[in-house]
Amino acid sequence: MAMEAETQELVTPGQVLGKASQLKAGKGAYVSTENGTVYASLTGFRSLIPPPSDSVDQRSTVEVTGHKAHGAVPQPGSIVFARVTKVMARTASADIVCVDSKSVREKFTGIIRQQDVRATEIDKVDMHLSFRPGDIIRALVLSLGDARAYYLSTAKNELGVVSAESVAGGTMVPISWTEMQCPLTGQVEPRKVAKVEA
């Protein structure tokens, strides 16, 4: 088969690779359930792998192989750890540092939207009372969003802030679902706290 002889095309995260009706998503690719489109999830070279001749499913598999040795890559459904970098009125941005307990080597940005912070009273969510820059959060990857950023959700009990530093520089201790306390000063600060498994 001359499939490797074709010029390999360099693709970037979020780039359309084809339709799920014609292609299966292999490594480095995923299917959007909303529109049935196959997208790249990492930067690398696109390649097509023909189906085995005895396969019932005669779609080719599209894969994206990294152009350099890379660590883990976020996929929809992955649990990630991320460091919050910026908090705004309706969104918070974070740098993803770990995917399913594997560290990442490329920079991946995550965005938490107001409606994805918690499961209840979504309209009352105050981003500034949920996260602060520097917080480490555990979140679920929803999808690849706009501008090469992943949409993240903390709308489950076990998701949210897992580690935070107080104004005084102490590592804060969770005291409820919505508050953490500085052990140095006793000051309580609001957060969307993740339930830590015992």
Side-chain angles (χ1 to χ4, degrees):
M1 298 247 173
M3 65 159 192
E4 293 300 334
E6 63 186 86
T7 309
Q8 288 197 317
E9 177 193 357
L10 184 68
V11 295
T12 53
Q15 192 165 327
V16 174
L17 301 176
K19 282 282 180 194
S21 55
Q22 297 158 344
L23 293 171
K24 287 196 289 186
K27 292 176 192 164
Y30 71 94
V31 178
S32 167
T33 51
E34 289 174 23
N35 55 14
T37 301
V38 182
Y39 295 97
S41 64
L42 58 94
T43 302
F45 294 101
R46 172 184 187 267
S47 57
L48 284 176
I49 299 158
S53 54
D54 58 351
S55 171
V56 178
D57 190 341
Q58 281 297 299
R59 292 178 299 170
S60 293
T61 300
V62 63
E63 283 192 351
V64 180
T65 47
H67 63 303
K68 60 185 177 198
H70 52 74
V73 174
Q75 302 276 5
S78 298
I79 296 293
V80 300
F81 286 90
R83 182 178 288 105
V84 177
T85 53
K86 189 162 60 170
V87 180
M88 291 165 288
R90 294 184 176 276
T91 60
S93 302
D95 288 339
I96 295 171
V97 292
C98 210
V99 178
D100 296 325
S101 72
K102 297 187 187 81
S103 62
V104 297
R105 295 188 194 169
E106 292 182 56
K107 184 179 175 184
F108 298 108
T109 302
I111 292 174
I112 307 146
R113 297 169 295 186
Q114 188 178 17
Q115 66 264 35
D116 298 323
V117 172
R118 63 183 186 216
T120 57
E121 296 185 314
I122 294 167
D123 53 330
K124 293 181 183 171
V125 170
D126 185 328
M127 299 303 288
H128 295 282
L129 298 180
S130 303
F131 310 107
R132 297 266 174 89
D135 288 355
I136 303 296
I137 60 168
R138 183 196 284 129
L140 172 73
V141 178
L142 295 176
S143 64
L144 186 59
D146 304 329
R148 308 276 183 266
Y150 291 86
Y151 282 139
L152 306 179
S153 168
T154 56
K156 286 186 180 175
N157 289 347
E158 68 274 16
L159 304 176
V161 177
V162 292
S163 176
E165 202 172 272
S166 69
V167 177
T171 300
M172 295 204 293
V173 179
I175 56 173
S176 76
W177 295 110
T178 56
E179 293 174 321
M180 296 181 104
Q181 187 172 31
C182 172
L184 304 177
T185 64
Q187 184 178 348
V188 174
E189 294 183 23
R191 292 292 198 282
K192 195 291 179 185
V193 180
K195 178 187 178 186
V196 180
E197 294 91 350

